[in-house]
Amino acid sequence: MIFNILLIKKNDGTYNALYMMCTHERQPLGATNKGLYCSSHGSGFDLEGNVTIQPATQSLTKFQTSVNNQKVFINLNKNI
């Protein structure tokens, strides 16, 4: 299964790129302005990728981002 990557611009102008796969049982996540949620088993994550509601116990995969000439790049080869 292929999952989306959510790109979030933070207040300080930097970006988070989060892999939208629940770390509990590899299910897709839904997004709201307050966090990310797994409708399959109820896990929740904040917009930094940290677990806020179990059963997930591991944070989401985050990818490195960079900005060049007003374009945002997501490095899919390097997790942070």
Side-chain angles (χ1 to χ4, degrees), residues 35-55:
L36 308 172
Y37 299 94
C38 178
S39 62
S40 296
H41 301 105
S43 293
F45 303 86
D46 64 19
L47 296 177
E48 293 288 326
N50 302 308
V51 176
T52 58
I53 302 170
Q54 293 187 355

Side-chain angles (χ1 to χ4, degrees), residues 1 22 24-30 37-43 55:
M1 182 179 254
C22 182
H24 172 241
E25 286 195 1
R26 302 177 55 92
Q27 297 296 312
L29 297 174
Y37 299 94
C38 178
S39 62
S40 296
H41 301 105
S43 293

Side-chain angles (χ1 to χ4, degrees), residues 5 13 40 65:
I5 295 173
S40 296
T65 61

